[in-house]
Amino acid sequence: MKRGIFITFEGPEGSGKTTHSRLLCDFLRKRGFRVLHTREPGGTLISEKIRKILLDPKNKGMDAGCEILLYMAARAQIVKQKILPALEKNKIVVCDRFTDATLAYQGYAGGMDIKIIKNIAGIITKGLKPDITFLLDIDAKAGLLRAGRTKDRMERKSILYHNKVRNGYLQIAEKEPGRVKVISATVEIQKTQERIRKIILSNIKQTGFGILELCHSRI
Ligand code: TMP
């Protein structure tokens, strides 16, 4: 039974997800909310080990089927071990990437069937979907430049692949405008963060979640 709020951050490489999710968590904690900040792939001992395999440039010969199943395996573990228990305890869970990343990367860019991805994800996440997703949008090339010199296995994929990732994300957002908020990642960090906070605070207000959660954290 889910009671907390599940927030995800998505975007092409170098879009600033980690910075913005961390700033949002600091902001929410200062307001008295209990927050779990985590990432995908990763967030548990097992999932972090899977992350290492996935991102290691030495594994450049990885088969597409192997790749997608490893992402799903990492997800199965973090959902069961961390995300669902935190939501059941009324926490706000902020996760860098989730199933939308599999749709954008392995689906829209990698060519895997979208329906099949959704089916597998539905099974391993027990139907869990984010309440709100921030899609930090940036041109793929500009994002890769920002991401730095030492590139991991995913960042080393072609610019064509990364353009498809970005377009895939934008298609997901178009299909679910209520959940996925597209935010330009090219304006000042402070301005972007203000927009993110506004959206979250208005969601908390609308759902009445704040009152319940703050009462719990004071008991
Ligand atoms: P990041 O934590 O720096 O974003 O690295 C994770 C990488 O893995 C990034 O290139 C996106 C990619 N990824 C997928 O391809 N599929 C997925 O399902 C997830 C969660 C991430």
Side-chain angles (χ1 to χ4, degrees):
M1 193 179 55
K2 175 179 127 27
R3 286 178 304 220
I5 299 183
F6 185 29
I7 302 164
T8 58
F9 279 81
E10 298 279 0
E13 310 296 331
S15 58
K17 290 174 287 84
T18 315
T19 305
H20 282 293
S21 61
R22 190 177 36 77
L23 288 171
L24 177 66
C25 288
D26 292 347
F27 171 76
L28 291 170
R29 284 191 184 114
K30 275 190 197 138
R31 273 172 171 62
F33 293 102
R34 290 174 304 153
V35 180
L36 169 71
H37 185 204
T38 191
R39 68 172 178 181
E40 266 237 86
T44 72
L45 208 67
I46 295 171
S47 311
E48 288 290 336
K49 283 184 181 170
I50 298 173
R51 179 187 177 93
K52 280 210 177 96
I53 298 172
L54 278 163
L55 299 187
D56 186 348
K58 286 194 210 110
N59 294 333
K60 62 173 186 271
M62 188 180 290
D63 168 70
C66 173
E67 179 179 295
I68 192 167
L69 290 174
L70 284 177
Y71 277 114
M72 292 292 187
R75 181 163 306 136
Q77 189 63 35
I78 191 178
V79 167
K80 170 101 190 287
Q81 196 182 323
K82 289 274 174 81
I83 299 179
L84 286 179
L87 290 172
E88 278 162 18
K89 284 181 196 139
N90 268 330
K91 289 190 183 175
I92 298 181
V93 176
V94 178
C95 192
D96 293 8
R97 300 199 189 276
F98 198 60
T99 303
D100 292 320
T102 320
L103 292 169
Y105 281 78
Q106 284 68 48
Y108 287 101
M112 286 264 173
D113 188 274
I114 297 292
K115 259 196 189 154
I116 294 176
I117 297 178
K118 284 187 176 169
N119 282 342
I120 303 174
I123 295 166
I124 59 130
T125 65
K126 298 172 176 65
L128 178 67
K129 271 193 116 181
D131 297 295
I132 302 174
T133 296
F134 293 104
L135 170 53
L136 300 180
D137 184 44
I138 187 165
D139 169 71
K141 202 173 165 191
L144 281 167
L145 279 174
R146 259 199 206 172
R149 267 163 189 258
T150 43
K151 300 209 174 330
D152 63 37
R153 192 183 64 85
M154 298 303 288
E155 289 165 342
R156 286 174 194 218
K157 292 192 188 247
S158 69
I159 184 67
L160 188 74
Y161 180 93
H162 287 285
N163 279 330
K164 287 184 186 170
V165 168
R166 183 198 185 188
N167 290 333
Y169 270 132
L170 292 173
Q171 285 187 56
I172 296 169
E174 221 176 278
K175 285 185 186 141
E176 289 186 73
R179 172 177 70 88
V180 185
K181 315 289 178 200
V182 184
I183 299 206
S184 168
T186 51
V187 291
E188 283 165 48
I189 290 182
Q190 207 185 327
K191 273 195 181 142
T192 309
Q193 183 61 204
E194 268 166 25
R195 282 196 65 195
I196 292 169
R197 289 176 183 180
K198 230 180 185 169
I199 292 169
I200 291 299
L201 288 179
S202 116
N203 177 279
I204 286 175
K205 213 170 170 186
Q206 269 170 29
T207 55
F209 171 82
I211 299 159
L212 225 181
E213 161 67 15
L214 287 170
C215 289
H216 274 271
S217 65
R218 278 178 195 152
I219 291 170

